Amino acid sequence: MQKLVIEGGVPLEGEVFLHGAKNSALPILAAVLLCDGETTLENCARLTDVFAACRILTHLGCRCTIRSHTVTVNVCDLRSDTIPEALMQEMRSSVIFLGAVLGRTGSCHISYPGGCELGPRPIDMHLEALQQMGARFHIHGGELDCTVPDRLHGAKIHLPFPSVGATENVMLAAVLAKGRTVLHNAAREPEICDLASFLRMGGAKISGDGESTIVIDGVEKLHGSTYRIMPDRIAGITYLGAAAITGGTICLRGTDAHPMENVLPMFEQMGCRLYPEPDRMHLLAPRRLHAVPSIQTMPHPGFPTDAQAIFMAMLSVANGVSVIEENIFENRYRHVDALVKMGAKIHVSGRIAVVTGTQTLSGASVSATDLRGGAAMVLAGLAANGKTEIRQISHIDRGYEAIETVLQGVGGRITRVDMGI
Ligand code: EPZ
């Protein structure tokens, strides 16, 4: 077991090179199954979730090699349509392999994906959509057996909610299906566009990604390619936030403003000055952040739920009262107790969190509750007076590559300590 130890109170200053997006790499690694031959993915972050996805591909019969930030996959002899429970449990979003395995083999057997720290992670929308495309499901004893009696075929599908995962699973099932699939109320996140770009690189016929209606015409086969994963916008927001909460300045390299444009106005509302350039973003923080009266998480292009905890940490030391409304997940305030233990004044009632900014926070010993909640604790520790220790950092390592090294590079006093247990 490891922990992060942070000595707070130092304004961060310097350059951060942004790694590739976790929430883009995972569906694209599943999509690789649909492509014949060899696929090379560049700018693939070294994250535990990415390694877990590669283990699933290897179990299915692919040959995976990881060299630095490049993953090469050869879909040579696919020998299984079954993902064992141990591998399914390693990664929260392993259900993303369902559409790809079905699309490739016509059958798929997985353990029913459990919930996670954010609450139950139902997949009803995934299953209803895939059923419309000809898939049949049998759920028994926590197992999900999927078969396609004939061949997956196109369908007109309307998602009741613009679910990111359900949108991705439909795309993965549709690219090799027979005929046209029209997906209404599709998720519009930038990672959806990255997945569509990757699939088009392999020969898929997809249009409308990034909008609410995606049209896919099935083709006979897809071929391998070399593709560069987009930068991780949530990691980018996190590192901008680290400079903002410590009153520092940062240059974020490897991204432009576009993927983060739905949160940049909030940084400006807090008093940060932003200077976007074609391949980088500069942030200059004020001495003390201003509160943001209202933040409501919504599907893209609204404020991203993954940035909620990050902003809550910043607003905990802002001047004034901020009101946050979490509309996407039902249990995404688990980081509040840790922030309150550090001196934050936060009152939660249902989906609403009222944050009354305090001048300072105090270091404390806390445990990461989930990926973005853990990142919020890192930001709070960087701003706090004294020492903060964060345990359960495996949550953080799912989505941030070597977070302590990145923050040390901009002056953060943060180290990773082995607890020897
Ligand atoms: C993706 O999760 C991301 N994960 C999440 O990022 C992100 O928070 C989320 O999208 C929203 O943007 C990956 O991309 C790997 P959803 P996903 O399906 O696909 C409900 C992170 O921090 N729902 O859009 O699971 C669901 O319960 C992670 O990087 C159903 O009810 O999100 C949730 O309340 C966390 N039935 C809401 O929709 C379904 O069939 C949004 O879920 C599917 C979803």
Side-chain angles (χ1 to χ4, degrees):
M1 294 275 277
Q2 297 179 321
K3 64 183 176 182
L4 292 173
V5 179
I6 304 169
E7 284 292 342
V10 176
L12 301 189
E13 184 169 355
E15 275 194 347
V16 167
F17 286 81
L18 207 45
H19 62 62
K22 167 181 86 80
N23 292 350
S24 198
L26 298 182
I28 287 177
L29 280 165
V32 166
L33 275 174
L34 300 163
C35 304
D36 293 339
E38 186 167 275
T39 293
T40 297
L41 300 177
E42 297 172 341
N43 197 32
C44 214
R46 297 177 65 80
L47 303 169
T48 52
D49 270 9
V50 168
F51 298 148
C54 290
R55 282 194 288 276
I56 290 176
L57 288 173
T58 304
H59 175 84
L60 294 171
C62 301
R63 208 169 45 246
C64 278
T65 52
I66 303 175
R67 287 192 192 84
S68 182
H69 294 84
T70 297
V71 176
T72 302
V73 185
N74 207 311
V75 186
C76 34
D77 55 345
L78 219 54
R79 61 170 177 269
S80 170
D81 63 359
T82 302
I83 303 176
E85 180 165 10
L87 288 178
M88 282 293 290
Q89 297 304 325
E90 279 189 14
M91 191 177 75
R92 302 284 176 275
S93 46
S94 39
V95 71
I96 199 58
F97 279 87
L98 177 58
V101 174
L102 270 185
R104 180 80 196 212
T105 68
S107 62
C108 181
H109 308 280
I110 58 173
S111 62
Y112 206 86
C116 75
E117 309 78 23
L118 306 182
R121 299 295 286 274
I123 59 169
D124 51 309
M125 296 179 205
H126 300 239
L127 301 186
E128 280 157 26
L130 294 172
Q131 223 153 16
Q132 284 182 250
M133 298 176 71
R136 294 293 172 265
F137 301 100
H138 176 50
I139 299 169
H140 59 94
E143 297 293 314
L144 177 62
D145 288 343
C146 318
T147 53
V148 181
D150 182 5
R151 179 184 169 192
L152 284 173
H153 54 75
K156 283 190 188 335
I157 298 166
H158 189 112
L159 292 178
F161 178 87
S163 154
V164 171
T167 299
E168 291 165 345
N169 257 330
V170 169
M171 290 165 73
L172 294 172
V175 286
L176 295 179
K178 185 178 175 199
R180 170 167 284 193
T181 297
V182 181
L183 177 61
H184 294 290
N185 200 26
R188 300 172 55 191
E189 275 71 1
E191 293 77 18
I192 298 291
C193 300
D194 213 29
L195 173 61
S197 299
F198 168 74
L199 289 166
R200 275 191 288 265
M201 186 80 91
K205 291 192 170 63
I206 300 180
S207 61
D209 45 289
E211 298 304 322
S212 293
T213 298
I214 298 177
V215 179
I216 300 169
D217 288 312
V219 295
E220 283 307 310
K221 58 171 42 183
L222 297 178
H223 56 75
S225 63
T226 295
Y227 188 77
R228 184 172 181 80
I229 304 284
M230 67 173 279
D232 192 314
R233 60 192 173 106
I234 307 299
I237 290 165
T238 305
Y239 293 122
L240 290 176
I245 200 171
T246 57
T249 175
I250 195 167
C251 176
L252 202 53
R253 300 288 301 275
T255 185
D256 60 12
H258 178 67
M260 296 176 284
E261 63 192 2
N262 48 355
V263 301
L264 297 180
M266 269 78 175
F267 276 106
E268 291 173 325
Q269 278 191 54
M270 291 191 293
C272 296
R273 279 184 283 161
L274 298 170
Y275 305 96
E277 291 183 46
D279 69 340
R280 66 196 69 188
M281 163 72 72
H282 299 269
L283 178 142
L284 201 58
R287 272 177 48 76
R288 187 181 181 192
L289 297 171
H290 312 310
V292 173
S294 172
I295 287 181
Q296 298 177 337
T297 65
M298 298 301 283
H300 194 82
F303 186 92
T305 176
D306 293 348
Q308 179 255 106
I310 308 301
F311 270 75
M312 185 181 282
M314 288 188 271
L315 295 169
S316 297
V317 295
N319 183 12
V321 179
S322 308
V323 179
I324 296 173
E325 186 174 354
E326 172 56 57
N327 295 304
I328 305 297
F329 287 103
E330 59 184 53
N331 189 20
R332 203 162 198 178
Y333 285 141
R334 299 178 72 237
H335 48 281
V336 168
D337 288 349
L339 297 179
V340 168
K341 185 175 180 182
M342 298 173 73
K345 289 184 174 46
I346 304 168
H347 176 71
V348 172
S349 173
R351 290 187 174 275
I352 304 289
V354 180
V355 184
T356 304
T358 58
Q359 190 82 33
T360 58
L361 297 175
S362 304
S365 178
V366 295
S367 289
T369 50
D370 56 81
L371 167 55
R372 308 302 175 187
M377 294 172 205
V378 171
L379 264 58
L382 290 167
N385 294 329
K387 182 168 82 169
T388 296
E389 292 194 351
I390 304 174
R391 290 169 167 73
Q392 307 293 331
I393 58 174
S394 57
H395 289 294
I396 300 173
D397 292 337
R398 286 183 47 227
Y400 295 91
E401 181 179 333
I403 192 169
E404 74 279 10
T405 308
V406 173
L407 292 169
Q408 287 163 4
V410 288
R413 290 182 302 191
I414 174 173
T415 53
R416 181 184 292 256
V417 176
D418 265 312
M419 296 195 294
I421 44 177

